[in-house]
Amino acid sequence: MRYFVIIIGFVFFQTSQAQKLWTLEEIVTYATENNLTVLQNKINENLIANDLQYANNQWLPNVGGYIDNKFTLGTNHPAINKGYQQYSNSLGINSSITIYNGGLLDLNIEKAALNVNSSKLQTEAIINDISLMVVNYYLNIMLNRELLEIAEGNLAVSEQQLDRSQKLFNAGSIARADLVQSEATVAQEKKNVADAKIEVERSIFNLSMLLQLADYRDFDVELIQIPDNIELGLYDLNQVLQTAYAQQPAVKKAEVDLEMAEKDIEIAKTGFKPTITGSYNFGTSYADYFNKGLETDAWLSQWHDNLTNVFGISVNVPIFEKFNNKLNVEKAKIGQSLAQNSVEQQKQTIRENVQEAYFNANSSYQAYQAAKESVRSSELSADFAQKSFDAGVLNIYDLNTARNNLLIAKSQMAQAKYNFVFRMKVLDFYAGIPLTQGLR
């Protein structure tokens, strides 16, 4: 009995796991937290953060210990007037600290901080791109499911028509050819439904691959209903552009990179300034002769008596550096020009993307409105054809033609609707509106 309960519990757990439906917010969150490209960039952020810590640590002094052992073979010692052998050692600690180097340490810290910010903005840009792709794939699933509903509805109507045709044929009211045509229509509609199911599964599979899931078979998404009466939101193109310039991480990163390039110029100019370094040494020494007649104190006594404290300040003034400092400044200025051009390129890209999004949103809305009107006309035509067929004044071929036209019109309207929704999401994205807003 215990094993039976365990098996039932395991099956229930597996079923509940398989039936989990992912919301769009969950999908976007998962993608931004688990995508390998995003994770790689976050690891790179940690490396760059270490560079900032390294730059901060340069203000600290260097401290080191040393011990030196020597054995000397001398040819003559004045005290004994002959060769001698001596063992000596010294030990101590030394330290040095930069007092002034033209502001280089502060500039390196400021540049490292800017680099950290630039790396984070790079990650944000990747997350935005992935989020847009997720929304596009998600809407593609919704589209294919709506197309599946349309195909299933058309199949149900065709099956009803086949049932009616069968009864009419049995009663001798229609020819065998009309019944065969109804059967062929049902067969075609079943194929359409099967094809639509495959497209739904394919779109779910594509999204699972984008999420880099280990197994796509248990993955499914929550169904959202997008009404057919959606309207075009009002946007001021210039306002959207200003918002995009201020919020898009690609532009912000280029501006931060420009600040880094300006820091590089200041850093290069420090090469013309002097460097002042302070130093301190504390140590002692010991020596022992192996020759008779050369007496030495004990090593503990020598270490105590030979203690030394050495304080020093050194100044290094660049006089001629083979024009390296001048070339470094010129290279930094060229880098600044490249960074300034990159800012303009990013703004130009944003400008083109926003204008394209604005144009696509408006044009796709017009296409959607035209598709809705086509559906209304096709519905009237199909309804009239059905009534004419029921009255016996229209054959089955013309009825199927009217119904196929309605199916095509509904499919085109669904495609136009989801295309318009995605185009609006892109425009919302540049306007600073969350991608998941309105899709819940």
Side-chain angles (χ1 to χ4, degrees):
M1 181 67 182
R2 187 166 68 92
Y3 293 108
F4 177 75
V5 172
I6 292 174
I7 293 173
I8 293 297
F10 177 77
V11 172
F12 176 78
F13 173 78
Q14 291 294 100
T15 304
S16 63
Q17 288 296 102
Q19 291 176 346
K20 171 180 168 57
L21 299 179
W22 293 52
T23 65
L24 179 57
E25 287 185 349
E26 289 175 334
I27 294 172
V28 171
T29 300
Y30 182 89
T32 56
E33 291 179 353
N34 295 276
N35 182 272
L36 293 179
T37 304
V38 174
L39 293 177
Q40 181 176 356
N41 252 64
K42 289 184 176 179
I43 294 173
N44 191 51
E45 286 181 26
N46 294 331
L47 288 174
I48 295 175
N50 285 337
D51 291 339
L52 175 58
Q53 185 62 48
Y54 177 85
N56 280 306
N57 291 343
Q58 298 314 297
W59 277 113
L60 300 175
N62 294 320
V63 179
Y66 66 90
I67 182 168
D68 186 21
N69 295 279
K70 296 179 181 177
F71 184 77
T72 305
L73 297 175
T75 58
N76 183 69
H77 193 285
I80 57 176
N81 198 25
K82 64 177 181 179
Y84 67 96
Q85 301 84 36
Q86 180 191 41
Y87 166 75
S88 63
N89 74 2
S90 61
L91 66 142
I93 58 172
N94 52 37
S95 177
S96 65
I97 187 171
T98 300
I99 299 175
Y100 175 78
N101 62 350
L104 178 62
L105 295 182
D106 285 332
L107 290 171
N108 282 334
I109 292 173
E110 293 169 4
K111 180 184 175 182
L114 289 171
N115 199 21
V116 169
N117 191 19
S118 176
S119 177
K120 290 180 178 179
L121 290 170
Q122 176 67 24
T123 302
E124 286 184 29
I126 295 173
I127 288 175
N128 282 348
D129 292 341
I130 293 174
S131 299
L132 272 176
M133 292 178 64
V134 166
V135 171
N136 188 20
Y137 280 41
Y138 188 88
L139 289 175
N140 193 44
I141 295 174
M142 298 302 106
L143 167 61
N144 286 325
R145 280 182 169 169
E146 190 161 323
L147 292 176
L148 175 58
E149 290 179 4
I150 293 172
E152 289 174 337
N154 215 49
L155 173 60
V157 172
S158 297
E159 288 176 335
Q160 292 174 2
Q161 184 62 51
L162 175 59
D163 182 65
R164 177 180 173 82
S165 296
Q166 184 66 56
K167 292 177 181 178
L168 290 174
F169 175 74
N170 293 339
S173 299
I174 62 172
R176 174 68 179 173
D178 291 337
L179 177 61
V180 171
Q181 179 62 32
S182 294
E183 292 173 343
T185 300
V186 169
Q188 181 60 45
E189 295 300 337
K190 287 182 177 180
K191 181 181 182 302
N192 292 341
V193 169
D195 291 341
K197 287 181 178 178
I198 292 174
E199 290 307 311
V200 170
E201 294 173 357
R202 188 192 309 279
S203 57
I204 293 175
F205 170 79
N206 290 338
L207 180 54
S208 71
M209 291 298 99
L210 177 62
L211 298 178
Q212 300 171 342
L213 298 178
D215 192 346
Y216 73 92
R217 291 171 295 180
D218 292 335
F219 174 71
D220 202 357
V221 301
E222 185 179 67
L223 179 64
I224 58 174
Q225 297 293 339
I226 297 180
D228 292 338
N229 59 347
I230 51 177
E231 298 295 335
L232 177 65
L234 297 178
Y235 280 105
D236 180 79
L237 180 58
N238 291 328
Q239 184 61 44
V240 175
L241 273 173
Q242 295 306 315
T243 301
Y245 289 155
Q247 296 186 1
Q248 285 300 301
V251 175
K252 293 163 71 174
K253 180 183 184 303
E255 291 173 343
V256 171
D257 290 344
L258 175 59
E259 292 185 59
M260 291 173 58
E262 293 169 351
K263 291 294 178 187
D264 282 335
I265 295 177
E266 297 180 57
I267 289 172
K269 288 181 178 179
T270 62
F272 294 103
K273 299 178 180 179
T275 299
I276 302 175
T277 304
S279 62
Y280 169 72
N281 178 272
F282 172 76
T284 186
S285 61
Y286 161 79
D288 184 29
Y289 292 95
F290 295 95
N291 296 70
K292 293 181 179 180
L294 293 173
E295 299 295 333
T296 57
D297 294 334
W299 61 274
L300 284 176
S301 299
Q302 290 192 52
W303 281 355
H304 179 270
D305 296 337
N306 295 339
L307 291 176
T308 57
N309 290 274
V310 180
F311 300 87
I313 291 181
S314 64
V315 180
N316 181 24
V317 180
I319 297 175
F320 179 69
E321 298 289 338
K322 298 179 287 189
F323 303 108
N324 289 336
N325 291 330
K326 180 181 178 181
L327 289 174
N328 288 337
V329 173
E330 291 177 358
K331 287 170 62 178
K333 288 181 178 180
I334 293 172
Q336 181 192 32
S337 299
L338 291 173
Q340 180 64 56
N341 186 64
S342 179
V343 172
E344 297 305 319
Q345 284 182 331
Q346 290 297 335
K347 287 186 175 181
Q348 175 64 25
T349 300
I350 293 294
R351 187 182 306 115
E352 292 174 356
N353 290 344
V354 169
Q355 290 177 346
E356 182 181 12
Y358 190 84
F359 171 80
N360 287 337
N362 283 276
S363 60
S364 61
Y365 179 72
Q366 295 173 13
Y368 175 55
Q369 292 300 107
K372 287 171 66 175
E373 186 60 35
S374 176
V375 169
R376 283 192 287 267
S377 299
S378 298
E379 286 176 339
L380 291 174
S381 177
D383 183 62
F384 179 77
Q386 185 65 54
K387 292 178 180 178
S388 299
F389 178 79
D390 293 341
V393 296
L394 191 72
N395 59 46
I396 188 67
Y397 301 100
D398 293 333
L399 174 62
N400 286 337
T401 299
R403 287 174 52 211
N404 285 335
N405 289 338
L406 176 59
L407 173 64
I408 293 171
K410 285 183 177 180
S411 300
Q412 290 176 341
M413 187 186 78
Q415 292 171 346
K417 178 175 71 172
Y418 282 96
N419 182 53
F420 167 62
V421 170
F422 178 69
R423 299 301 182 185
M424 282 300 298
K425 284 289 103 183
V426 175
L427 191 57
D428 288 345
F429 167 73
Y430 287 113
I433 298 174
L435 286 170
T436 58
Q437 184 171 319
L439 295 178
R440 300 176 182 175

